[in-house]
Amino acid sequence: MQAVVCHGPEDYRLEEVAKPSLPDGGALVRVEAVGICASDLKCYHGAAKFWGDENRPAWAETEVVPGHEFVGVVEEIGSEAAQRWGVAVGDRVTSEQIVPCWRCRYCLRGAYHMCAVHDLYGFKRRTPGAMAEFMTFPPEAIVHRISKDLPPAHAAFVEPLSCSLHAVERADIQFEDVVVVAGCGPIGLGMIAGAKAKGAAHVVALDAVASKLDLAKRSGADTALDITTDDIYEVVRGLTGGFGADVYIEGTGHPAAVKQGLNLLRKLGTYVEYGVFGSEASADWSIISDDKELDVRGAHLGPHTWPKAISILESGVLPMDDICSHQLPLSQFQEGLDLVGSGSTSVKVSLLPGS
């Protein structure tokens, strides 16, 4: 089969490799679509180069097929796995990007997304990713069925959407809350939809790209502001009687967005950080403590949110035709990486191995 293989930073190659065989207790899946995200780009460049710190690991092991947000069709599956996951040959499926051990402290307490010894599709040799014609699910995987009525690229969006919904869960949004979402890329758009679904009174979207702000409005934002031209602080104060936002969810990974969020929040507000940063971010911690007594929470992956993400996609509430802006054949993986790296040229880029 054809697959993209990581040989090191900025050395990904399309190669002919052996088609995987059905693993004991697992499944063999024909890949329909795989999305490219910021973490794929970070691994492509090498985390050390991305961070400007040679002491940081490169994350992705060499000789690994990348790709962790995907959808496919079950090609082969054993009876035990079919019963465990409730799927059969011919079903369209996806699998959560983390493959937990189910034995460590975190797994035993329900926090499987923080598994101490986990595998990740597309980052480790034991769990090759989806930039290939076929992939396998090991028995420890978490597998979900998803409708065949969705275009493949739309269905593969379930992974970033699940991450967005987890960040929203961490925010503990109340009915009267004014929620600010920083960044209207794939993750931010899902945060907007999730915040509205949670009953936020008003959702404010922030970005610097007009087309993404338009998508934010169509994804549920009540107000969409351009951070380069609009007075975002004045607008938020006007929406809150001068107090500030109740919740700020950061999805850009830009250091300036941290200070922005701390300043936009009211006293006793909630800050949720989901962004993956390319450099260290600094802030006046007195704002968090002495000035405002803020709740500051991190968010990682999308535990327990995949069923809801699937239902949102299947409901048609999101403008997926425009969110999924680019679909390319596997042979054009380099163009896909470059599109993601350009920042404003695309929204969600996907590869379609069967095309």
Side-chain angles (χ1 to χ4, degrees):
M1 69 172 185
Q2 284 197 320
V4 177
V5 180
C6 167
H7 291 279
E10 299 181 359
D11 187 8
Y12 283 22
R13 308 173 200 169
L14 184 67
E15 298 180 350
E16 196 78 19
V17 302
K19 177 182 173 181
S21 57
L22 176 68
D24 290 341
L28 175 68
V29 174
R30 175 173 53 82
V31 180
E32 292 184 295
V34 52
I36 303 175
C37 82
S39 60
D40 291 313
L41 193 68
K42 177 190 288 188
C43 289
Y44 171 72
H45 289 300
K49 179 177 179 180
F50 183 88
W51 283 86
D53 180 356
E54 296 302 321
N55 295 317
R56 295 186 75 93
W59 279 22
E61 296 176 352
T62 56
E63 312 304 319
V64 170
V65 176
H68 64 277
E69 42 182 81
F70 52 81
V71 68
V73 174
V74 177
E75 188 90 353
E76 296 180 47
I77 190 168
S79 58
E80 179 189 350
Q83 184 175 11
R84 182 194 320 120
W85 293 326
V87 301
V89 170
D91 283 345
R92 173 181 271 177
V93 292
T94 186
S95 180
E96 299 194 23
Q97 70 276 57
I98 190 168
V99 181
C101 73
W102 301 113
R103 299 182 302 276
C104 73
R105 171 192 180 104
Y106 301 108
C107 287
L108 292 175
R109 297 184 182 192
Y112 66 86
H113 65 302
M114 301 304 292
C115 175
V117 291
H118 63 273
D119 287 315
L120 282 170
Y121 292 110
F123 296 95
K124 297 189 178 183
R125 295 189 186 96
R126 183 174 177 270
T127 46
M131 291 188 190
E133 294 181 271
F134 294 89
M135 67 182 299
T136 58
F137 294 172
E140 300 86 358
I142 308 169
V143 177
H144 304 278
R145 283 193 298 172
I146 188 166
S147 172
K148 286 187 175 181
D149 293 334
L150 294 171
H154 296 194
F157 193 72
V158 64
E159 190 275 340
L161 183 54
S162 73
C163 295
S164 303
L165 297 184
H166 177 53
V168 169
E169 291 268 66
R170 293 284 287 158
D172 192 24
I173 293 169
Q174 306 298 306
F175 290 129
E176 296 303 314
D177 282 350
V178 172
V179 178
V180 176
V181 174
C184 299
I187 295 291
L189 295 172
M191 291 170 175
I192 291 163
K196 290 300 290 186
K198 276 288 188 180
H202 199 100
V203 177
V204 180
L206 306 180
D207 207 287
V209 179
S211 60
K212 291 184 177 181
L213 290 170
D214 175 64
L215 273 178
K217 292 280 287 184
R218 294 163 58 198
S219 298
D222 301 288
T223 301
L225 302 176
D226 186 330
I227 60 171
T228 66
T229 58
D230 295 320
D231 188 335
I232 62 174
Y233 301 98
E234 181 181 3
V235 172
V236 171
R237 284 194 297 268
L239 290 169
T240 59
F243 288 100
D246 301 284
V247 174
Y248 179 87
I249 309 178
E250 202 292 300
T252 70
H254 194 292
V258 176
K259 181 180 179 180
Q260 171 182 270
L262 297 179
N263 288 328
L264 280 168
L265 282 167
R266 63 165 170 81
K267 294 178 180 180
L268 302 176
T270 299
Y271 180 113
V272 178
E273 183 57 65
Y274 197 92
V276 178
F277 290 83
S279 59
E280 290 185 1
S282 60
D284 180 356
W285 278 69
S286 294
I287 298 174
I288 298 169
S289 58
D290 190 48
D291 290 357
K292 294 186 177 180
E293 194 176 320
L294 300 176
D295 283 339
V296 178
R297 303 176 181 182
H300 175 61
L301 302 185
H304 311 295
T305 57
W306 287 65
K308 182 61 178 178
I310 290 170
S311 71
I312 288 176
L313 288 175
E314 293 175 349
S315 75
V317 68
L318 285 170
M320 292 304 301
D321 285 336
D322 294 315
I323 291 174
C324 294
S325 57
H326 294 76
Q327 291 91 52
L328 304 170
L330 196 62
S331 59
Q332 292 178 236
F333 74 90
Q334 187 63 59
E335 180 182 340
L337 288 165
D338 293 343
L339 277 167
V340 176
S342 70
S344 60
T345 308
S346 63
V347 184
K348 169 53 65 179
V349 179
S350 300
L351 302 177
L352 307 179
S355 64

